[in-house]
Amino acid sequence: MGKGRKNKPKKNFAEKRREKLKKKDEWDNTPHRSYADIIRENKDFEDYYKTQRIVPEDKWDAFISTIRTNLPVAFRITGSKVEAKALLKIIKSDFFKEILNANSKDDKGDADGSSKTILHSLPFYPEELAWQLQLTRKDIRRSEAYFRLHNFLIAETNNGSISRQEVVSMVPPLVLDVKPSHKVLDMCAAPGSKTAQLIEMIHADEGTDPPEGFVIANDVDNIRCYMLVHQAKRLNSPNILITNHDSSIMPNFVITKPDGTKDTLKFDRILADVPCSGDGTMRKNPDIWCKWSPANGSNLHGIQYRIAKRGLELLAIGGRMVYSTCSLNPIENEAVLHRLLCETGDSVQLIDCRDLVPGLVCDPGVTRWKPASKNLQYYDNWDDVPEQWQTQVRPKMFPPDANEATKFHLERCMRILPHHQDTGGFFVAVLEKVKSLPWENDTSALNQTAQDADGNENKDKHVLGEEVSQGTMLSESGKRTLEEEKKSRESQKKRRRIVGYREDPFVFFKDQTEDVWQSIKDFYGISDDLDPRCLLVRCHEGKKKNIYFTSPAIRDIVVSNENKVKMINTGVKTFVRCDNKNMNCAFRLAQEGMHSISRYINGHRKIQVSKEDLIMLLQNDNPHTPPEIVKLSPNTQECLKEFAIGSCILLYKEEETDNLNRLNLQLVGWRGVMSLRAYVPICDAIHYLRLLGADCSKFEKNKFEENRAAALAEDVNNDDVKTELETKEIKTED
């Protein structure tokens, strides 16, 4: 045994490399189908949705023609109100005017002679902070104005001041109506664009920092959780915790009350943007045209129901939960809500929140639909379903009787269709919990729901066609026995426990006696209002490298629940180890945590700088040659005379003008022996230079300028060659 493997000659590096290149050549020579080559037609799709009547007959042509086109670009302006307003002013004056001018020169209009609207603000999004652009890659390549905007969006996205997001994806957080004091749970949060909106709403009241509220962003997929980490880091909030758990069996979080006793956390707001078949995203994911089947929605109905049900259990009385999908299918939308409303009785109700998104065009939810099997056979009731399809079409997928339909108010749901305002398709419903759920008085049943992967679906757990975990679809080969299903679930539980990276621990400072704390506190003059127990590191032993800051509420949740839920990330980086022999403190400030920590730092590490000084500091992109202090204004030089070497805060406040939104910037700086520098990343420097109205072109690449320079160089070279040839010809004649 094993001799064959031992005697097999090993391949050397060159042979392995040749094989790899051969496979690459084979792959390169294989014809691939790009999105442009996909035929955007599917007869089953059209037949199914015509039967469901989700689109009025006279609007069908507009619907189907729109869903076959590419999706326009959309983005939001984020950050503090003052900076967002300033950035909006820059965009509208600098970039949009160029685009409109370029469009008036280049665009000849549509086939019917009408002019295409290149850009517009979204009417339902507050204060013109969200925009939609009718631009393609081809447009960007052919116009310098478009290309400059493209570069701008990339730079500001890296900085966190712009968020690229689909128009319809912006709706759920808006109708959730989050306030800064709310405890919010995002059950299926990745990739995190809606989570970012929720965090912004928590920080809406900029007078209270950090706010009382917080966001717990959860996702079952360990890898996708790191997309959430990326989004959260761009927003620099100490009020977010990212967790990795199956949301359909999310455990109860324990919290500490002011009197020191423990209690169960109930959320004021919950977003259940559940996994779905995604046929509303066909405009950006055209491969769905090839894969679409009515079975896709039926297979997801069960997990969608379980996530939404668990969400209602975690919701506080008087709280709201938004249920949303990017699917058009009533089986994934109204059928799930109907099932929930039947079980919860009068403890939960659908509410109409269209007033929170004025100007948004949408249709009401449907009250009639027909479940269908994979072979596109439609059924009016469960008794009509043949046995072979009873694992896919379930009894609770059917609509309410005509006599009872009105009591569920499914018309309060919002169906956003592609042709309404040139977007993707989306479904949104807002549920309000008016009293305890019928089974919430049974403590043992509730505990079972929180801990058992089967939840309240035990009666259906032998049935095929419903997912056993998010993102996992069962085969359709037939029913399993109860014993086989148990074994399958146990193996999945075990796999879920060990999957993903092993996270570093969250080690909070114990109290004022933490070894590095006193030197940090003394050097920066930090007030006693900052509780050092809200600071954490990610290691038990060794030197503390990065120190993070969290809100007190997030700290309590992490400490009380880290053995129940896998914690991925929390806290905003505030202090970074910097072993500089000239510095009295071993830690410098981090720009990420500036807004969270600056209010606790007294004036002796803060420098008021002029606009001219700040621009000069930001334009210096060479850390080895920072601006000398003698080049700064006399006032700044005077402030720096008795200023100790090390990390500091640069303050700039715009002079009083008619503008109500005066800039008030706080940046990390570094006071050297003979110099001063702005200690911020390049993307932040570009952002602040824009806000200050300064030139930041040295940081930007302009493809059109580069092409012009290359063409000029080529012309010069051609002239040189021509001259040389002419010279040779003259010599030959001589």
Side-chain angles (χ1 to χ4, degrees):
M1 184 177 175
K3 286 183 181 178
R5 292 188 65 181
K6 286 183 181 178
N7 295 331
K8 189 176 181 181
K10 290 185 177 180
K11 295 177 182 176
N12 61 32
F13 175 79
E15 287 174 324
K16 289 180 180 177
R17 179 67 177 162
R18 278 196 296 270
E19 280 193 9
K20 190 173 183 180
L21 289 172
K22 184 181 177 184
K23 287 180 180 177
K24 183 181 183 300
D25 289 339
E26 288 172 356
W27 172 259
D28 289 341
N29 293 326
T30 303
H32 301 294
R33 184 168 59 171
S34 68
Y35 276 176
D37 297 329
I38 293 175
I39 298 172
R40 304 190 187 202
E41 288 183 6
N42 187 308
K43 296 300 181 186
D44 287 351
F45 172 85
E46 294 188 39
D47 182 88
Y48 183 80
Y49 282 118
K50 280 182 178 178
T51 302
Q52 304 303 341
R53 297 183 181 178
I54 65 163
V55 183
E57 287 185 24
D58 60 333
K59 301 293 183 183
W60 177 262
D61 289 342
F63 163 76
I64 202 68
S65 61
T66 305
I67 205 170
R68 285 174 177 154
T69 61
N70 290 328
L71 191 69
V73 173
F75 67 89
R76 295 186 301 107
I77 303 172
T78 65
S80 70
K81 289 180 182 176
V82 173
E83 290 188 26
K85 287 286 186 183
L87 200 59
L88 175 62
K89 187 177 179 181
I90 292 168
I91 294 170
K92 291 173 76 172
S93 60
D94 293 356
F95 295 97
F96 286 178
K97 282 182 181 177
E98 282 190 27
I99 287 177
L100 293 173
N101 289 336
N103 185 47
S104 63
K105 292 176 184 177
D106 301 338
D107 188 23
K108 296 178 181 178
D110 295 334
D112 60 359
S114 62
S115 180
K116 185 172 67 173
T117 303
I118 289 291
L119 59 93
H120 66 274
S121 63
L122 302 178
F124 64 86
Y125 204 92
E127 302 184 72
E128 287 190 305
L129 293 179
W131 291 76
Q132 188 179 45
L133 302 171
Q134 279 283 5
L135 291 179
T136 64
R137 289 184 181 181
K138 186 177 179 181
D139 293 328
I140 290 168
R141 283 196 296 268
R142 72 184 172 89
S143 168
E144 184 170 356
Y146 296 164
F147 196 79
R148 284 191 67 236
L149 176 65
H150 179 69
N151 280 348
F152 164 79
L153 292 177
I154 291 173
E156 293 297 332
T157 299
N158 292 335
N159 165 262
S161 301
I162 293 278
S163 181
R164 285 279 302 275
Q165 188 175 352
E166 278 194 64
V167 172
V168 288
S169 175
M170 301 178 194
V171 175
L174 291 176
V175 295
L176 199 55
D177 195 25
V178 172
K179 306 298 181 189
S181 60
H182 283 160
K183 306 171 186 69
V184 184
L185 172 64
D186 192 348
M187 300 185 80
C188 312
S193 56
K194 299 180 192 69
T195 308
Q197 267 183 278
L198 298 174
I199 297 170
E200 291 167 35
M201 292 173 176
I202 289 291
H203 289 278
D205 186 358
E206 294 169 7
T208 59
D209 198 15
E212 288 181 38
F214 56 81
V215 176
I216 295 180
N218 176 75
D219 203 88
V220 71
D221 189 312
N222 184 262
I223 294 174
R224 284 167 63 86
C225 281
Y226 294 94
M227 297 182 188
L228 294 175
V229 173
H230 176 71
Q231 284 278 18
K233 282 185 176 179
R234 289 171 59 245
L235 293 167
N236 300 324
S237 170
N239 296 64
I240 179 171
L241 169 65
I242 296 168
T243 62
N244 178 203
H245 203 86
D246 183 343
S247 54
S248 66
I249 52 169
M250 199 83 183
N252 290 320
F253 287 89
V254 175
I255 54 171
T256 307
K257 296 198 292 187
D259 62 2
T261 59
K262 297 293 184 180
D263 198 4
T264 299
L265 172 61
K266 292 291 185 180
F267 293 92
D268 302 298
R269 297 287 188 268
I270 292 179
L271 175 57
D273 187 51
V274 299
C276 65
S277 62
D279 57 13
T281 69
M282 283 176 157
R283 298 185 69 184
K284 71 169 184 177
N285 300 313
D287 54 331
I288 294 176
W289 284 99
C290 315
K291 302 172 184 176
W292 189 90
S293 164
N296 297 345
S298 299
N299 289 337
L300 287 160
H301 173 92
I303 187 63
Q304 292 164 340
Y305 157 76
R306 291 196 292 279
I307 292 170
K309 182 177 182 181
R310 185 61 190 142
L312 290 175
E313 291 169 347
L314 294 167
L315 190 63
I317 295 172
R320 289 183 181 180
M321 182 178 85
V322 164
Y323 176 88
S324 62
T325 74
C326 50
S327 168
L328 307 172
N329 197 338
I331 303 300
E332 301 177 68
N333 298 322
E334 287 90 348
V336 173
L337 292 169
H338 173 233
R339 184 174 177 181
L340 283 170
L341 293 168
C342 286
E343 292 191 9
T344 56
D346 59 353
S347 59
V348 174
Q349 61 184 12
L350 275 170
I351 57 174
D352 191 341
C353 287
R354 285 173 176 80
D355 60 313
L356 295 174
V357 280
L360 178 73
V361 181
C362 61
D363 286 344
V366 298
T367 57
R368 304 299 302 162
W369 60 87
K370 289 188 176 185
S373 54
K374 189 178 180 181
N375 64 349
L376 221 63
Q377 294 299 306
Y378 300 96
Y379 307 102
D380 292 317
N381 55 68
W382 169 248
D383 295 334
D384 295 339
V385 182
E387 187 176 351
Q388 71 178 107
W389 298 118
Q390 287 182 3
T391 58
Q392 189 180 103
V393 179
R394 304 297 300 146
K396 294 183 179 179
M397 294 179 181
F398 288 86
D401 294 332
N403 298 330
E404 292 187 334
T406 53
K407 75 176 184 180
F408 296 107
H409 295 292
L410 293 173
E411 74 281 353
R412 292 175 180 171
C413 302
M414 301 164 65
R415 282 187 157 271
I416 307 167
L417 299 177
H419 62 285
H420 285 155
Q421 50 246 312
D422 200 9
T423 65
F426 218 74
F427 177 87
V428 184
V430 186
L431 294 155
E432 185 174 31
K433 187 175 181 179
V434 294
K435 64 180 184 180
S436 297
L437 304 175
W439 59 88
E440 282 191 314
N441 295 325
D442 185 352
T443 308
S444 60
L446 255 179
N447 290 337
Q448 182 71 7
T449 301
Q451 297 170 12
D452 188 354
D454 299 332
N456 289 295
E457 291 281 299
N458 290 332
K459 58 182 177 296
D460 288 335
K461 70 182 184 180
H462 64 289
V463 175
L464 217 66
E466 292 193 350
E467 289 186 330
V468 293
S469 66
Q470 285 171 253
T472 306
M473 203 169 290
L474 298 177
S475 67
E476 296 175 11
S477 56
K479 293 184 181 180
R480 297 179 185 173
T481 64
L482 184 58
E483 204 165 316
E484 287 172 337
E485 185 65 22
K486 279 183 179 178
K487 286 180 182 177
S488 173
R489 285 174 180 265
E490 287 302 320
S491 67
Q492 286 181 20
K493 284 185 198 175
K494 186 176 180 181
R495 186 167 67 251
R496 243 188 331 256
R497 281 197 296 270
I498 63 173
V499 76
Y501 302 104
R502 183 177 179 181
E503 294 299 323
D504 292 329
F506 295 87
V507 185
F508 284 91
F509 283 18
K510 294 182 180 67
D511 50 34
Q512 299 274 355
T513 62
E514 196 72 31
D515 57 354
V516 299
W517 174 241
Q518 198 58 48
S519 65
I520 294 173
K521 184 180 180 185
D522 292 344
F523 183 78
Y524 292 105
I526 297 175
S527 72
D528 293 333
D529 294 336
L530 175 61
D531 186 349
R533 293 178 302 170
C534 290
L535 298 172
L536 69 97
V537 292
R538 298 300 299 271
C539 60
H540 283 292
E541 298 175 356
K543 277 188 175 182
K544 295 176 174 64
K545 293 182 179 179
N546 296 325
I547 300 175
Y548 302 87
F549 174 72
T550 68
S551 70
I554 289 291
R555 178 199 182 275
D556 179 52
I557 291 170
V558 173
V559 171
S560 303
N561 299 276
E562 57 187 342
N563 294 326
K564 299 169 70 175
V565 179
K566 186 173 184 180
M567 313 277 185
I568 299 294
N569 192 271
T570 192
V572 59
K573 189 190 295 182
T574 308
F575 301 103
V576 179
R577 181 170 285 278
C578 180
D579 293 321
N580 189 311
K581 62 182 180 180
N582 295 321
M583 189 175 168
N584 297 328
C585 174
F587 288 86
R588 66 169 176 83
L589 295 165
Q591 183 64 34
E592 296 95 318
M594 179 52 54
H595 290 291
S596 301
I597 204 76
S598 63
R599 62 192 293 262
Y600 300 108
I601 296 176
N602 69 25
H604 84 274
R605 292 308 298 171
K606 295 180 177 179
I607 308 169
Q608 197 78 37
V609 295
S610 67
K611 181 177 180 179
E612 292 72 21
D613 285 344
L614 186 56
I615 289 173
M616 181 175 67
L617 295 174
L618 289 169
Q619 284 179 333
N620 178 70
D621 59 341
N622 189 343
H624 302 294
T625 57
E628 295 178 9
I629 291 174
V630 293
K631 294 181 179 178
L632 301 172
S633 65
N635 287 342
T636 305
Q637 291 185 45
E638 187 65 31
C639 292
L640 290 168
K641 274 186 179 178
E642 304 298 325
F643 209 86
I645 292 171
S647 191
C648 59
I649 300 175
L650 307 176
L651 301 177
Y652 167 72
K653 189 159 189 177
E654 193 174 17
E655 295 178 3
E656 288 193 29
T657 61
D658 296 335
N659 184 10
L660 296 176
N661 299 305
R662 293 167 59 197
L663 281 178
N664 189 5
L665 305 180
Q666 302 179 72
L667 288 74
V668 172
W670 182 272
R671 202 294 194 201
V673 178
M674 301 293 292
S675 62
L676 181 69
R677 61 173 291 203
Y679 213 111
V680 297
I682 292 293
C683 60
D684 287 350
I686 296 170
H687 170 70
Y688 291 126
L689 285 170
R690 276 203 182 97
L691 295 183
L692 293 166
D695 180 24
C696 55
S697 58
K698 65 180 291 186
F699 299 104
E700 298 176 330
K701 285 186 177 180
N702 187 324
K703 184 188 74 171
F704 291 88
E705 288 291 341
E706 290 174 359
N707 290 347
R708 275 194 285 268
L712 184 62
E714 189 176 343
D715 289 340
V716 170
N717 290 336
N718 289 339
D719 288 342
D720 291 342
V721 171
K722 186 178 178 182
T723 304
E724 188 177 345
L725 288 171
E726 288 173 350
T727 305
K728 285 181 179 179
E729 287 174 4
I730 292 169
K731 285 182 178 178
T732 304
E733 288 174 2
D734 292 343

